[in-house]
Amino acid sequence: MIRILSDSACDLNKEYTQAHNIEIVPLYITFDGETYQKDFTEINRDLFYQKMVEEGCFPKTSLPSVDDYLQLFESAYAAGDELICICITNTLSGSFNSAMTAYQMIKEDHPDASISVFNSWQNTVGQALIVREFVRMRDDGRSYQYMCDHMEGLRSSSQIIFTISTLDYLKKGGRIGKMITSVGDKLNLQPLLVLKKGELSITSISRSRKKAKAAVITNTRKHFEGKNVDNYFFTTGFGYDPEEAREFRMQVENELGITCVESISTDNFPASIGAVTACHTGPHSLGISFVQKYETLV
């Protein structure tokens, strides 16, 4: 059996992971710097966002331990299973490093273990789309090696293009330079950000939320000039406001001529951004993510 494992930064919900036999290693979240709770199993997403919005909290994250990964690796080996582990980009978390340390440990004891650990170069719904492609490959009967060989193409084709309401969270988390933070704060502007191949960058600034959302769509359209959108899966991602997300998704689908996965899926694929990412981007993230369908990769 091929087992698929991801850390909780992928933001897949329990209904989806249970239905598709995906194992999740939680990251940890704290509001006070002392008490840590496990994402996915101990954190209620709605209450988390409510606390951020109503109390103005700046929670922090902590990576999974090496042992968190090692236990699942050992379980897979003992069962005679093959395992593929997909982690949040190492530029945003040390989760991948923990997984790699666990991988090295089990390979020392069991050189024949069929276990692969991948840096997804992605986060949240972008990471989720990659995990979804691995589920599709497994369910289509593809081999363990075939699946591993397609990781490079999947992560290279994946992006998240999004906007946030404030740069404060990225500033506190050290994710962007202080100069652009200062400019954004003074002018009360809305940034457009791109996560591509593990690198987070600010590509433009808008003067309102409406213009920022339009910029997300415009930049996505530019990316697909000369490309066949039918070769890709798309999803939107949102934080605190589901009504804004619903309207944005309709706008995205109408203007880009696509149908997002969450609009057609019957398996509870998420469009929501979870607590791990919100700790660094704030409660009002909104954007588009995409990945190329594995069968169209050359």
Side-chain angles (χ1 to χ4, degrees):
M1 182 177 75
I2 301 175
R3 294 165 70 164
I4 297 174
L5 171 68
S6 181
D7 57 43
S8 64
C10 70
D11 291 335
L12 292 166
N13 58 42
K14 291 180 180 178
E15 291 80 8
Y16 187 86
T17 57
Q18 291 172 0
H20 296 281
N21 196 25
I22 302 167
E23 297 173 86
I24 298 294
V25 173
L27 279 82
Y28 297 83
I29 294 173
T30 180
F31 279 97
D32 59 14
E34 297 179 1
T35 304
Y36 284 82
Q37 292 178 289
K38 290 182 177 181
D39 183 36
F40 187 73
T41 59
E42 298 176 350
I43 298 287
N44 179 285
R45 180 185 180 279
D46 292 339
L47 292 178
F48 170 86
Y49 272 112
Q50 183 178 346
K51 190 175 181 70
M52 286 188 82
V53 172
E54 295 182 0
E55 300 180 21
C57 297
F58 286 86
K60 297 180 179 179
T61 60
S62 180
L63 67 159
S65 70
V66 173
D67 190 59
D68 289 338
Y69 281 105
L70 186 58
Q71 288 184 34
L72 290 172
F73 291 176
E74 289 178 336
S75 172
Y77 178 78
D81 294 334
E82 298 163 315
L83 184 144
I84 294 173
C85 175
I86 303 163
C87 299
I88 178 178
T89 175
N90 66 334
T91 58
L92 299 180
S93 170
S95 178
F96 173 72
N97 295 333
S98 288
M100 282 301 299
T101 300
Y103 168 82
Q104 292 163 359
M105 292 171 66
I106 196 165
K107 291 295 279 188
E108 287 179 4
D109 294 334
H110 308 289
D112 60 331
S114 296
I115 294 174
S116 295
V117 177
F118 292 108
N119 176 356
S120 72
W121 292 348
Q122 273 300 334
N123 184 23
T124 187
V125 292
Q127 185 178 342
L129 282 176
I130 292 175
V131 173
R132 183 176 181 270
E133 285 304 282
F134 275 88
V135 169
R136 292 182 62 238
M137 285 189 282
R138 183 193 61 192
D139 293 351
D140 287 345
R142 303 298 186 178
S143 70
Y144 168 79
Q145 190 59 53
Y146 178 97
M147 294 166 68
C148 292
D149 290 345
H150 278 67
M151 183 56 174
E152 180 65 26
L154 291 173
R155 68 181 184 176
S156 294
S157 71
S158 180
Q159 286 190 41
I160 303 177
I161 302 174
F162 68 106
T163 188
I164 54 179
S165 62
T166 175
L167 292 166
D168 289 346
Y169 293 88
L170 286 173
K171 177 182 177 182
K172 286 182 179 294
R175 297 302 192 271
I176 58 173
K178 293 182 179 180
M179 182 178 296
I180 189 66
T181 304
S182 176
V183 171
D185 289 346
K186 289 178 180 178
L187 300 179
N188 192 30
L189 300 178
Q190 304 283 310
L192 181 76
L193 300 101
V194 175
L195 179 59
K196 176 184 179 182
K197 295 185 177 181
E199 296 300 323
L200 181 65
S201 59
I202 297 177
T203 61
S204 66
I205 299 290
S206 299
R207 294 186 176 275
S208 68
R209 182 73 165 179
K210 181 179 180 179
K211 290 182 178 180
K213 289 189 285 187
V216 171
I217 297 174
T218 297
N219 276 264
T220 305
R221 183 184 294 110
K222 287 181 179 179
H223 175 81
F224 281 94
E225 290 178 353
K227 297 183 177 70
N228 185 356
V229 295
D230 292 337
N231 290 340
Y232 290 77
F233 285 117
F234 294 82
T235 187
T236 54
F238 74 95
Y240 177 69
D241 191 341
E243 181 56 30
E244 180 188 40
R246 186 189 68 81
E247 294 175 357
F248 178 68
R249 182 165 61 250
M250 292 175 61
Q251 182 182 0
V252 166
E253 293 179 334
N254 288 336
E255 294 192 24
L256 297 182
I258 62 172
T259 301
C260 293
V261 173
E262 62 269 23
S263 294
I264 60 175
S265 177
T266 58
D267 52 15
N268 295 299
F269 186 82
S272 59
I273 297 169
V276 169
T277 298
C279 287
H280 302 290
T281 60
H284 297 292
S285 299
L286 189 67
I288 302 170
S289 183
F290 49 83
V291 69
Q292 191 167 347
K293 299 175 181 178
Y294 82 84
E295 57 265 54
T296 69
L297 292 168
V298 178

